């Protein structure tokens, strides 16, 4: 069976234990999550989860059915066949920098449209809000340019269905 990267969004009750219940449900069935993000919506009683999985079609249908049966889940949105906007938050710290290294980090930040959110005489901290692939490319470049001096912290992707027919 062909494994595909999939995204699903859930509206869930915003209360203690819901994240554990959903992640436990998926882990209990041995589904591996690539990413999971959760945050409060415009309604403080509702949270929205975005879950990324690499999964085959049959198993994905099972996941959706199990989530729909879960009492804390208000709504399940399948992002498989619809245009979406999806981004992830990424922080990258480059350490052990001399002046030449810092100049190169600042140049890379300009080229990739990254935000420099902190720096001192030896390190630079970058912030990126881009697609997973764009972030992967940027991390690869930084690891190649500054081997063993790059620290990466990435949040899971958040996604919303597109208004137009274009995805980003």
């Amino acid at each position: 069976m062909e494994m595909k990267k999939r995204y699903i969004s859930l509206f869930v009750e915003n209360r203690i234990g819901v994240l554990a219940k959903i992640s436990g449900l998926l882990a209990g069935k041995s589904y591996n999550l690539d990413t999971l993000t959760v945050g409060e919506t415009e309604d403080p009683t509702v949270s929205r989860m975005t879950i990324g999985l690499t999964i085959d079609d049959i198993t994905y249908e099972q996941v959706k059915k199990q989530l729909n049966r879960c009492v804390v889940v208000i709504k399940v949105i399948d992002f498989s066949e619809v245009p979406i906007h999806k981004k992830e938050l990424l922080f990258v710290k480059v350490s052990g920098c001399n002046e030449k290294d810092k100049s190169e980090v600042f140049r890379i930040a300009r080229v990739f449209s990254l935000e420099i959110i902190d720096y001192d005489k030896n390190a630079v901290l970058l912030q990126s809000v881009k697609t997973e692939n764009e972030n992967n490319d940027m991390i690869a470049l930084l690891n190649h340019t500054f081997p063993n001096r790059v620290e990466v912290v990435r949040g899971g992707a958040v996604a919303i269905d597109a208004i137009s027919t274009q995805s980003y």
Side-chain angles (χ1 to χ4, degrees), residues 92-128:
V92 179
K93 186 187 297 180
V94 181
S95 301
C97 295
N98 57 32
E99 285 303 316
K100 182 180 174 200
D101 292 338
K102 282 196 326 190
S103 292
E104 182 63 7
V105 173
F106 276 65
R107 187 186 70 74
I108 290 169
R110 245 186 340 272
V111 168
F112 279 88
S113 299
L114 308 173
E115 188 176 349
I116 297 165
I117 60 170
D118 198 7
Y119 67 94
D120 66 13
K121 65 181 187 166
N122 298 347
V124 180
L125 181 60
L126 304 168
Q127 175 181 294
S128 174

Side-chain angles (χ1 to χ4, degrees), residues 20-159:
K21 184 175 213 129
I22 299 297
S23 60
L25 172 93
L26 297 170
K29 302 289 185 182
S30 297
Y31 305 138
N32 186 38
L33 305 181
D34 296 330
T35 66
L36 176 110
T37 57
V38 61
E40 191 176 279
T41 66
E42 64 281 357
D43 177 348
T45 66
V46 177
S47 290
R48 185 168 183 159
M49 292 183 169
T50 304
I51 301 171
L53 308 121
T54 302
I55 199 165
D56 63 78
D57 291 339
I58 293 169
T59 309
Y60 187 61
E61 290 304 317
Q62 291 172 343
V63 167
K64 289 190 304 184
K65 286 177 186 172
Q66 289 166 346
L67 290 170
N68 271 309
R69 285 193 299 259
C70 191
V71 294
V72 296
V73 174
I74 299 163
K75 183 177 182 182
V76 176
I77 303 170
D78 180 357
F79 284 146
S80 299
E81 305 298 327
V82 297
I84 61 173
H85 294 277
K86 176 176 45 80
K87 303 285 186 200
E88 70 174 10
L89 173 63
L90 172 77
F91 293 116
V92 179
K93 186 187 297 180
V94 181
S95 301
C97 295
N98 57 32
E99 285 303 316
K100 182 180 174 200
D101 292 338
K102 282 196 326 190
S103 292
E104 182 63 7
V105 173
F106 276 65
R107 187 186 70 74
I108 290 169
R110 245 186 340 272
V111 168
F112 279 88
S113 299
L114 308 173
E115 188 176 349
I116 297 165
I117 60 170
D118 198 7
Y119 67 94
D120 66 13
K121 65 181 187 166
N122 298 347
V124 180
L125 181 60
L126 304 168
Q127 175 181 294
S128 174
V129 179
K130 298 195 174 295
T131 67
E132 179 182 5
N133 289 339
E134 289 170 317
N135 282 338
N136 287 341
D137 291 346
M138 191 258 306
I139 291 167
L141 174 62
L142 290 169
N143 277 326
H144 177 76
T145 308
F146 307 102
N148 303 314
R149 296 190 284 155
V150 175
E151 179 182 350
V152 173
V153 178
R154 62 194 320 168
V158 293

